[in-house]
Amino acid sequence: MGGLMVGGAVGGTVGALVASSDDEVRAAERERAQQQFTEAGGAADEGEAVARLGTHRVVWNTAVSSPIACISFDDGPTPEYTPRILEALAAAGVTATFNVMGYNAVQHPDLLREVVAAGHEIGNHTWTHKDLTTLTAAQTRDELIRCRDEVSALVDVPFTSFRPPRGEITGYALRVAAELGYDTYIWSVTRGPGDSGSVTHIGDYMGQTVVAGDVLGLHDGIGQGTFDPDASFAKALADRRELEVQALPSALQQIADRGITLMSANRLLALSDPEPIGGQPAVPGN
């Protein structure tokens, strides 16, 4: 019995120590999670201010009554891709949205001006193409605001929309976009399977896949690869972009041959049918 009593006493002490340690760990984890939540929501720096930001949309594709769709390009402008894309669009009579990476715009202001002079829309694609899901609220705000400010110093044309790098988005990024008056565009169609090395296959995929209401997302830059162009991932991106650009004229022709008119993002949205309010799931294939 004595052994049982001692064992009980020792076990109780150890149990109390473990419980105390667990409580501390849980408390620390709760505090860390709360801090992360607060920062992600912007409350740490912004306070719990009223945010009457109106209605702004997140768009993958739209419902339309006519054969129209959007074409867009991300990450530029760059001398490697943007001039050839502008040439292909001009030959096809197509107006697009160029989602501008602010850093590249500052590096190539004349190309940015060419995009605007050709009548294309420009969208905010952040300053340096960072993954917004890894940033604090302050960093997120800086990526969007700096892009807007630097680009507006170069061209007297406002951004019409926002596209998050790689389509990765947070609630706080949507808030900043709303503050700036942007709808947010993702995409419904891309260049197709990433492992395709055939210009013909890529052109055919885009040309035959785009349907009315789609948002076609392409590129005229290599995003983060801009800052480390000799890295393997950057070289792989450059190879992919080159194939996209070479395939573009064929894709544009095939889409036109199917009776679909390509246009900029905000133009598509302006001509789209009103969406039903709430509770309407996406329809596969539409």
Side-chain angles (χ1 to χ4, degrees), residues 122-202:
I122 54 173
N124 190 322
H125 198 47
T126 74
W127 173 243
T128 56
H129 204 272
K130 291 178 180 174
D131 180 348
L132 297 177
T133 66
T134 68
L135 303 185
T136 66
Q139 291 169 331
T140 297
R141 179 173 290 277
D142 183 65
E143 280 287 313
L144 274 79
I145 297 294
R146 187 173 181 186
C147 182
R148 181 201 63 178
D149 291 348
E150 297 275 1
V151 170
S152 66
L154 298 173
V155 292
D156 190 25
V157 174
F159 284 134
T160 60
S161 55
F162 171 55
R163 173 166 286 159
R166 294 180 293 276
E168 295 165 340
I169 192 70
T170 65
Y172 190 69
L174 286 173
R175 172 175 174 151
V176 177
E179 289 176 12
L180 297 176
Y182 305 148
D183 287 323
T184 296
Y185 289 86
I186 313 297
W187 57 82
S188 53
V189 178
T190 66
R191 52 151 270 169
D195 59 353
S196 176
S198 165
V199 170
T200 299
H201 181 267
I202 294 168

Side-chain angles (χ1 to χ4, degrees), residues 191-248:
R191 52 151 270 169
D195 59 353
S196 176
S198 165
V199 170
T200 299
H201 181 267
I202 294 168
D204 290 348
Y205 176 87
M206 292 190 289
Q208 299 304 313
T209 301
V210 170
V211 298
D214 269 336
V215 175
L216 175 59
L218 302 173
H219 301 84
D220 63 331
I222 58 173
Q224 276 284 299
T226 302
F227 306 105
D228 192 6
D230 293 326
S232 58
F233 84 91
K235 291 180 179 180
L237 283 175
D239 290 343
R240 284 170 52 87
R241 303 304 187 247
E242 180 60 31
L243 293 170
E244 277 186 29
V245 174
Q246 291 184 26
L248 182 61

Side-chain angles (χ1 to χ4, degrees), residues 28-115:
E29 181 62 22
R30 281 196 299 272
E31 182 177 353
R32 185 200 66 77
Q34 182 60 41
Q35 179 66 18
Q36 186 179 41
F37 171 80
T38 301
E39 290 182 357
D45 295 324
E46 303 299 324
E48 295 296 338
V50 173
R52 297 189 178 98
L53 302 176
T55 301
H56 296 277
R57 292 153 287 197
V58 179
V59 180
W60 280 264
N61 66 295
T62 70
V64 294
S65 301
S66 55
I68 55 177
C70 162
I71 184 168
S72 60
F73 299 89
D74 297 357
D75 301 353
T78 68
E80 292 82 4
Y81 311 113
T82 308
R84 286 183 289 160
I85 290 171
L86 289 174
E87 183 179 351
L89 293 174
V94 169
T95 301
T97 295
F98 284 79
N99 297 302
V100 175
M101 191 173 107
Y103 176 87
N104 275 340
V106 171
Q107 297 301 307
H108 309 291
D110 289 343
L111 282 179
L112 175 66
R113 295 185 183 108
E114 285 185 37
V115 169

